[in-house]
Amino acid sequence: MLNKLKALACMAAVALSSGVMAQEELKIGGIGSLSGGGTAWGIALQRGVQMAVDEVNAAGGLKVGDKTYKPRLVMFDDQYTAAGGRLAADRLINVEQTKFIIGPIGSPSVLGAVAVTSPASVLLLSNGFAPSILKNEAKSPYNFRAMNSTVEFGPAMVKWYRENFPTIKKVALIAPNDAVGQAVVPQLEQYYRDNGFEVWKELYDRGSKEFTPLITRMMAQGVDLLDLNSNAPGEAGLLLKQARQAGYKGKIWQVGGPSVDEIMGIAGPLAEGFISLNVFDFSMPESQKFVATYRAKYGDGVINAQAPGWYNAALNMFEAMRRAGSTDVTKVRDALQKLDGYDAGLFGPVKWGGMGDYGVDHQLLLRFWIVEVKDGKIITRAAISPEKR
Amino acid sequence: MFTLPILSQVLVNGLSLSAIYVLVALGFTLLFGIMRVVNFAHGAFAMLGGYALFYAYGSLKLPYPIAVLGSALTVASFGLIFEVLVYRWFYQKMFQSMIGLMGLNMAIVFTSVMIWDVNERSIPAAASGILTVGELTIPLDRLVIMGITIVVLIMFWFFVTKTRHGLAMRAASQDVEIAAAQGINTTVIYRLAFFVAIFMTALAGGLYAQTYALSPFVGERPLMVAFIVVILGGMGSIPGAALGGVLLGMGESFLSTFYGAAVSSFVSFGVVVTLLIFRPWGLLGKPE
Amino acid sequence: MANQNNVSSVAGHPTKVALLGYSPWAWLGAIAAMSLLLVWPLVFSNKFYITIGTMVVLSAIGATSLNLIIRTGHVSLAHAAFMGVAAYTCVLLQLRLGAPFWLAMVAGCLASGLLALILGPIVLRLTGKYFVLVTFLVGEIIRMIFVEWQSLTGGSNGIQNIPPGLDLMKTPTGFYYLALGAAVLCVGIVWRILSSEIGRAMDAVREAEKLAASGGVPVIQLKIMIFVIACTLVGVYGILQTYLVQYIDPSAFNMEASLNLVVMNVLGGMYYLLGPVLGSTFLSALPELLRGYVELQRVIFGVILIVVMAALPGGIIGALGALRRLYQQATSGKTT
């Protein structure tokens, strides 16, 4: 009897100690802008992923096959440039030995990073709008896009607008001539034309904040809808404010952003009637747990709406590792591709798409919302799921 | 496209732009005129003026005229530290001043990034509301800026032509050695000129930030504008700054409205480059 | 300062024998540096550190080429724009016309040199401050052309997935030695120019232009020639840098890039060849090594610029030289 007890005690001890010792660290790379203009998004990425990491660790670690890992985020700044993205990826892969990277944000940085991650067979979940990130000859074996780009939310939004505002005829697209603006405007132009709108477009030099002459020019075209599309939040707010101040009476909305809070801050009451995309609904019951956790850890500031998206991306990646039963990149990639239906809790079931646009189903199709500013408050008008194209 | 209502609106927009441009260029041209210093840190002081106004008007909620004057005076006083530490070494040395002040600009801007973050903030508007005259519209806050510009120009003209110190500054700008021989204390005069220049720059910066947005990098564009205006009008010439500001504002309004933003940028730059090559001292400046 | 005489003097005493005008210490330093550069990839076999080394070495090409222009008394804020002209030309010739890399590279450098030849006579007539302003604007105009001419350059999105131009480029180590070879070549060319008759003429032009002209120096032709050479050489930097990142976009050739090249020169010492080399090492390596203190670094660079321009025109090298002389004077006792 005593021997049995001793044996049991020994087994228990071994089981306990192996449970503790086998918590190997799993480094997850993160790349985002932590200095300069894009800092808000970089921090959103850092915090979103960190929250996912914390959640997994609080639940006892990441159980992959018969090992349990302790994920840890290693975050590097890319300064929102191509060279920065490349250096950050290089360092993560070659110095930190990570095989899984979340980020970067912004096409130049993503393209810089991809040049290093693809040859090294490293899994990359990023968010850059350029179609060529997913659409290329190699069919992006290890690249996935974690959030909607204009190709995903554009067509659905424009169609919704056409259905709800049948009298609008001519839309103005004013955008900066930077990488996003130059990529997005032709895409949107196509979607508008497909839905029976006439399009007028004008690109301005990034850095200018005086739009009154352009608005005068726009008004002379008989435009009845202004789409703020890829403008940064500050510029979007100024465009709206200056348009209203110039006496523009038509409609204003944004297929892009999200910048509703900033626009309301800049334009005040002039923002009445503004319709926009929102990538996250903070008022849903499902969101409250996320909001509470964020507030507890990071305080009371504005929560950038991209943070939940990155949290979601990280959780999806962890689930793919669990299902693969291994941290081998190719196996995780295969499991990630088959993740349709898994619900991490915030955006509904995973849905991959993009075959029609990119030749590969590596675009995460996230639910999004169309919101409107009414009587000084933001109200939700519709929740939309992008179609699988 | 070239109808009367649109042309009139273009004119009104142009005046509004010109006002800001003139204001932004004044401090820059003054520093060059008196001390032969190309103030590459011009944008940084404009930015500091913006933050000062943010606190004076946005946080402390002082009455607008007091906030504007007070914030500019604060920045100018604070700027005297830099006069003693930095600018003093560069008077009459154009080349060194350019690179050295570029360094000062970097130092001030990135210190600001560390103090306040990079995110854009807004300063509440001085006046919301739009003045509509027939088919023309002009926002009230732009009218306020136009008014301030005119007042500043008049006050400055008065200072430079009617007061003893102003005359001393003009003498020093024409020939510093003879002015010293006449008993003018050049150190004091330079300090005064510096104070006035930074005051005007901070004032312009505050208004600029209020009209558009405030961030540590908000000074980049005012610097570019100041350059262009001053090259057009003549470095060191106050009437030149006024003329240059009006030309740039009107030109931009006209070109952007009728031909688009890209054309406007290329033409402005092209004209300025051509002027620099053939008449570098500007329209109202003096050849050296 | 590189000793023009054949002696290193300490309070009038000819002490050590100098070789080719440089003291033995300088030779020792040069050999040590070259050895380190040669074995760098073997010591640091991690791909990341090799890439950093490549970037540092390449930026030395950029900084030394600008040094040529600075030695004639002109500071160009358009240098990065010329980099861009060469880089775009090379990439477009290779990708759109299928030209072999070497040919495309030579054509690229010739393109930036040609542009310098066209613009040079016009802008080099201007004196110091006006030249800076004009190059500031010209640089911006060129960058705007890169952005607006989307059909040719890909606009702000640029051109991605640029394939390696040479087999040597396919590995980090291979690219490193390619860059090192190019850097040695370019810095060597600059060195030869600066230590020759032309170099002396340049110094004369910089110090006292009218005097040099009356002494028979063809001032404007000299300036143009140097300008063209400098802009051709910076093309090498632009092209290799582009192939390293395998992506070209206008933001790599903006005012900030030009300013960085100027800072490298000023920091290290504008009037010594080693200056830009040292400056480029600092500016390229420091941000990587001191990750996370970006703003503080920039503040420190700014302060150093002020101090150098106000009091230490020789930059780091000048300061070191001044310290050395002070030390020698102190240790050699009271012999004066």
Side-chain angles (χ1 to χ4, degrees):
Chain A
M1 182 64 188
L2 203 53
N3 280 340
K4 265 198 188 162
L5 274 175
K6 271 198 214 166
L8 268 175
C10 273
M11 273 170 27
V14 166
L16 269 175
S17 60
S18 67
V20 165
M21 281 194 304
Q23 279 252 355
E24 196 180 304
E25 191 180 75
L26 177 67
K27 282 191 204 168
I28 307 288
I31 307 178
S33 174
L34 297 176
S35 59
T39 310
W41 298 316
I43 295 198
L45 191 153
Q46 185 177 36
R47 292 183 178 177
V49 177
Q50 187 64 55
M51 282 172 69
V53 165
D54 291 343
E55 192 174 295
V56 165
N57 280 327
L62 183 66
K63 197 160 179 331
V64 176
D66 51 8
K67 284 176 86 167
T68 308
Y69 289 94
K70 193 163 140 57
R72 182 164 80 90
L73 171 64
V74 178
M75 181 89 189
F76 284 143
D77 183 7
D78 64 357
Q79 298 181 30
Y80 211 65
T81 63
R86 188 214 156 82
L87 274 176
D90 205 331
R91 195 174 180 126
L92 280 171
I93 296 172
N94 292 313
V95 178
E96 301 289 334
Q97 311 290 326
T98 52
K99 302 217 80 39
F100 303 97
I101 299 182
I102 301 188
I105 305 153
S107 307
S109 184
V110 175
L111 287 165
V114 160
V116 182
T117 62
S118 292
S121 299
V122 163
L123 196 65
L124 188 74
L125 268 73
S126 63
N127 184 20
F129 275 21
S132 62
I133 291 171
L134 289 181
K135 179 177 178 180
N136 49 56
E137 277 169 15
K139 294 217 192 299
S140 305
Y142 295 100
N143 271 4
F144 293 79
R145 187 145 56 205
M147 292 193 220
N148 293 333
S149 74
T150 312
V151 174
E152 282 71 53
F153 56 73
M157 279 183 82
V158 173
K159 185 156 156 237
W160 175 89
Y161 203 88
R162 173 44 88 214
E163 282 160 8
N164 283 274
F165 296 94
T167 54
I168 302 289
K169 288 199 212 27
K170 192 163 178 180
V171 62
L173 290 170
I174 299 185
N177 63 6
D178 60 11
V180 189
Q182 281 186 345
V184 160
V185 165
Q187 290 169 345
L188 282 176
E189 202 181 348
Q190 188 58 51
Y191 306 144
Y192 279 113
R193 288 194 204 282
D194 289 343
N195 280 276
F197 290 93
E198 269 177 71
V199 176
W200 177 81
K201 58 183 192 261
E202 182 71 39
L203 295 178
Y204 63 86
D205 207 31
R206 186 81 201 269
S208 167
K209 292 182 182 310
E210 178 58 65
F211 303 111
T212 318
L214 285 184
I215 289 168
T216 309
R217 184 172 165 77
M218 172 187 89
M219 284 165 62
Q221 309 291 326
V223 157
D224 42 12
L225 170 66
L226 169 61
D227 179 0
L228 301 177
N229 64 93
S230 55
N231 281 287
E235 276 81 353
L238 285 172
L239 264 169
L240 187 147
K241 175 171 161 191
Q242 290 172 9
R244 292 291 180 224
Q245 283 178 335
Y248 172 68
K249 300 271 183 287
K251 300 232 174 276
I252 304 182
W253 80 319
Q254 186 172 23
V255 180
S259 7
V260 197
D261 293 304
E262 288 91 340
I263 292 180
M264 285 172 70
I266 293 174
L270 293 172
E272 184 68 22
F274 173 66
I275 297 179
S276 170
L277 160 76
N278 211 350
V279 297
F280 193 64
D281 186 349
F282 286 100
S283 60
M284 291 188 305
E286 301 97 303
S287 317
Q288 299 320 304
K289 180 165 155 264
F290 179 85
V291 172
T293 316
Y294 185 100
R295 291 255 171 270
K297 194 168 161 111
Y298 298 114
D300 277 327
V302 168
I303 307 180
N304 186 296
Q306 287 201 359
W310 293 114
Y311 167 82
N312 182 55
L315 286 182
N316 286 343
M317 197 175 71
F318 289 143
E319 177 65 17
M321 288 181 195
R322 284 193 201 101
R323 293 193 185 185
S326 142
T327 55
D328 171 69
V329 178
T330 310
K331 294 202 179 121
V332 175
R333 191 267 321 264
D334 292 337
L336 191 61
Q337 280 176 188
K338 299 199 200 88
L339 209 65
D340 289 65
Y342 169 68
D343 188 344
L346 290 179
F347 290 93
V350 166
K351 196 162 91 171
W352 290 112
M355 183 62 81
D357 291 305
Y358 312 115
V360 67
D361 267 333
H362 282 185
Q363 168 71 51
L364 192 60
L365 298 175
L366 288 177
R367 190 171 59 184
F368 62 92
W369 290 262
I370 298 185
V371 299
E372 180 175 352
V373 175
K374 214 175 171 88
D375 299 325
K377 295 206 204 337
I378 304 178
I379 59 158
T380 307
R381 285 198 61 160
I384 302 196
S385 259
E387 301 164 350
K388 213 168 149 91
R389 282 157 54 112
Chain B
M1 186 84 181
F2 288 85
T3 63
L4 190 61
I6 295 186
L7 278 168
S8 330
Q9 186 66 51
V10 166
L11 186 70
V12 165
N13 292 342
L15 281 175
S16 157
L17 284 174
S18 305
I20 301 189
Y21 291 164
V22 169
L23 214 54
V24 158
L26 282 175
F28 187 78
T29 203
L30 182 64
L31 269 177
F32 184 79
I34 311 282
M35 284 96 95
R36 295 279 178 282
V37 157
V38 179
N39 188 10
F40 259 92
H42 181 74
F45 286 108
M47 178 262 294
L48 290 176
Y51 277 97
L53 187 63
F54 175 79
Y55 287 114
Y57 190 59
S59 304
L60 293 175
K61 305 239 192 293
L62 299 171
Y64 190 61
I66 300 186
V68 170
L69 283 174
S71 57
L73 281 171
T74 312
V75 174
S77 315
F78 175 68
L80 283 174
I81 302 176
F82 295 108
E83 200 273 334
V84 171
L85 284 179
V86 178
Y87 283 83
R88 198 157 51 100
W89 306 104
F90 296 124
Y91 292 150
Q92 311 296 338
K93 288 187 204 163
M94 250 176 294
F95 175 73
Q96 284 90 321
S97 74
M98 282 196 286
I99 312 282
L101 292 175
M102 259 190 240
L104 181 64
N105 189 53
M106 253 203 275
I108 296 180
V109 168
F110 284 96
T111 308
S112 304
V113 173
M114 293 196 286
I115 300 176
W116 304 288
D117 54 49
V118 292
N119 293 323
E120 285 184 348
R121 308 172 193 218
S122 341
I123 305 178
S128 45
I130 309 165
L131 181 66
T132 318
V133 177
E135 285 194 40
L136 296 176
T137 53
I138 177 154
L140 282 176
D141 54 1
R142 303 296 179 102
L143 270 177
V144 167
I145 293 182
M146 284 199 244
I148 294 181
T149 308
I150 296 178
V151 166
V152 167
L153 276 172
I154 294 178
M155 274 174 50
F156 190 73
W157 173 81
F158 186 80
F159 174 73
V160 168
T161 47
K162 300 276 187 267
T163 68
R164 205 163 52 95
H165 290 300
L167 287 167
M169 266 168 53
R170 280 171 69 196
S173 84
Q174 283 179 339
D175 193 322
V176 66
E177 276 148 10
I178 302 215
Q182 296 276 345
I184 294 176
N185 186 337
T186 45
T187 313
V188 167
I189 287 300
Y190 279 179
R191 214 155 274 173
L192 180 64
F194 182 84
F195 186 85
V196 172
I198 300 297
F199 173 82
M200 294 201 285
T201 303
L203 186 82
L207 293 174
Y208 188 93
Q210 188 179 32
T211 311
Y212 301 117
L214 177 66
S215 83
F217 301 106
V218 76
E220 276 169 26
R221 207 164 150 79
L223 176 65
M224 182 91 89
V225 163
F227 261 126
I228 297 182
V229 167
V230 157
I231 293 173
L232 279 175
M235 292 186 93
S237 160
I238 298 281
L243 177 64
V246 169
L247 281 175
L248 184 65
M250 286 299 179
E252 197 177 294
S253 176
F254 184 81
L255 289 169
S256 286
T257 309
F258 292 122
Y259 300 106
V263 168
S264 172
S265 297
F266 274 111
V267 169
S268 329
F269 275 88
V271 164
V272 175
V273 167
T274 314
L275 200 62
L276 261 180
I277 292 170
F278 293 109
R279 201 189 156 90
W281 51 88
L283 293 168
L284 295 181
K286 288 184 289 290
E288 346 185 334
Chain C
M1 177 138 38
N3 220 318
Q4 303 280 345
N5 315 312
N6 257 337
V7 284
S8 57
S9 57
V10 173
H13 286 258
T15 46
K16 302 189 167 69
V17 172
L19 192 60
L20 281 181
Y22 295 96
S23 71
W25 286 114
W27 276 108
L28 213 65
I31 293 174
M34 263 319 286
S35 319
L36 176 66
L37 285 172
L38 278 169
V39 304
W40 179 269
L42 308 170
V43 170
F44 292 96
S45 56
N46 189 305
K47 288 192 203 146
F48 175 68
Y49 290 112
I50 299 178
T51 306
I52 294 283
T54 312
M55 288 189 160
V56 169
V57 163
L58 286 179
S59 62
I61 301 179
T64 42
S65 65
L66 180 61
N67 195 259
L68 278 177
I69 303 179
I70 292 183
R71 295 283 198 116
T72 61
H74 289 276
V75 173
S76 165
L77 286 180
H79 216 48
F82 284 96
M83 262 171 76
V85 168
Y88 273 109
T89 308
C90 177
V91 168
L92 288 171
L93 283 176
Q94 201 208 357
L95 288 182
R96 302 277 169 88
L97 296 183
F101 176 74
W102 279 119
L103 198 63
M105 176 153 150
V106 168
C109 294
L110 285 180
S112 54
L114 186 64
L115 186 62
L117 188 61
I118 297 172
L119 292 178
I122 308 172
V123 302
L124 287 164
R125 284 191 302 134
L126 299 170
T127 58
K129 68 179 183 295
Y130 293 128
F131 182 79
V132 173
L133 295 177
V134 134
T135 53
F136 177 78
L137 294 167
V138 166
E140 267 296 290
I141 294 179
I142 296 179
R143 187 196 62 86
M144 290 198 306
I145 295 177
F146 293 152
V147 166
E148 298 289 332
W149 202 345
Q150 288 185 60
S151 51
L152 187 68
T153 63
S156 297
N157 282 293
I159 301 174
Q160 305 109 19
N161 297 321
I162 301 177
L166 298 171
D167 283 338
L168 210 54
M169 290 183 181
K170 291 186 185 161
T171 63
T173 313
F175 207 119
Y176 175 82
Y177 284 115
L178 175 67
L180 188 61
V184 166
L185 187 66
C186 293
V187 175
I189 293 176
V190 173
W191 181 49
R192 285 305 292 137
I193 295 178
L194 289 176
S195 41
S196 71
E197 286 269 321
I198 302 179
R200 273 187 276 285
M202 282 161 67
D203 286 333
V205 163
R206 184 182 75 245
E207 304 278 326
E209 192 168 312
K210 296 212 169 41
L211 204 58
S214 61
V217 175
V219 170
I220 189 78
Q221 283 96 316
L222 178 70
K223 287 185 182 180
I224 295 174
M225 179 181 83
I226 294 295
F227 189 59
V228 170
I229 295 176
C231 292
T232 309
L233 285 177
V234 83
V236 175
Y237 174 36
I239 292 171
L240 289 179
Q241 177 84 339
T242 299
Y243 278 84
L244 180 65
V245 187
Q246 293 183 277
Y247 173 56
I248 188 170
D249 79 318
S251 70
F253 310 116
N254 58 11
M255 241 297 280
E256 199 182 313
S258 289
L259 203 57
N260 272 338
L261 291 173
V262 173
V263 173
M264 288 177 205
N265 270 277
V266 171
L267 213 74
M270 289 192 290
Y271 304 124
Y272 311 99
L273 180 59
L274 206 55
V277 174
L278 208 65
S280 63
T281 312
F282 263 108
L283 234 66
S284 300
L286 222 58
E288 258 322 296
L289 301 174
L290 285 183
R291 259 184 180 276
Y293 294 106
V294 177
E295 290 92 18
L296 192 61
Q297 282 170 47
R298 295 253 130 207
V299 172
I300 295 177
F301 286 145
V303 171
I304 294 182
L305 276 184
I306 299 173
V307 169
V308 165
M309 281 286 104
L312 288 174
I316 296 181
I317 306 278
L320 288 176
L323 278 172
R324 184 171 63 100
R325 279 191 292 280
L326 276 172
Y327 171 73
Q328 283 169 336
Q329 276 178 354
T331 53
S332 70
K334 292 137 208 115
T335 52
T336 307

